[in-house]
Amino acid sequence: MNIVTLLPFIVLIGAMFLMTRSAKNKQRQAAQMRDQMQPGTGVRTIGGMYATVKEVSDDTVLLEVAPGVHAIYAKNAIGAVLEDAEYNRIVHGIEPHDSETPVVPDDASSLTESEAPADKKIDLGKGEAAEAEKAAEPESESAEKAAEDTKDAKRDGKQDGDADAK
């Protein structure tokens, strides 16, 4: 046999070996994580439920889902064993107090400094030039423009609010 014909089979066998090896490593890590469970630790199930471990037996775990509510789960149903700080942050909303994190105010008003006094109103209009131009235009011209617009609309067979689509 030629080495070229055997090369694809060798590569395929090598890839299968690497995939099974990584899967075994993940299973071993999951088993170690489940062995860390002790009564009182917080866990997350594979369904996404957070609970506290009450009892650990060979294949099952007794979890306290809510105060006074207990449920029995298989050990394989435990997705993660959480640290106390993370469990308290997620379930109870208790944030750890770190002195390094800066305190951020609830609103942005203290972050910006106002240069203009609060009493003075800011004019967002076009200004005096637009007002002077509007005053210079005679009223008769604006009436003529409105009449032409209505003639165009009647000629097209359209009125206000009509659309081209049918």
Side-chain angles (χ1 to χ4, degrees), residues 11 31 40 43 63 89 109 114 147 152 164:
V11 170
V43 295
L63 299 178
R89 181 183 61 82
S109 62
S114 176
D152 290 341
D164 291 335

Side-chain angles (χ1 to χ4, degrees), residues 134-148:
K134 203 176 210 184
E137 182 179 314
E139 291 182 21
S140 60
E141 283 184 25
S142 62
E144 289 175 12
K145 285 182 184 179
E148 286 179 20

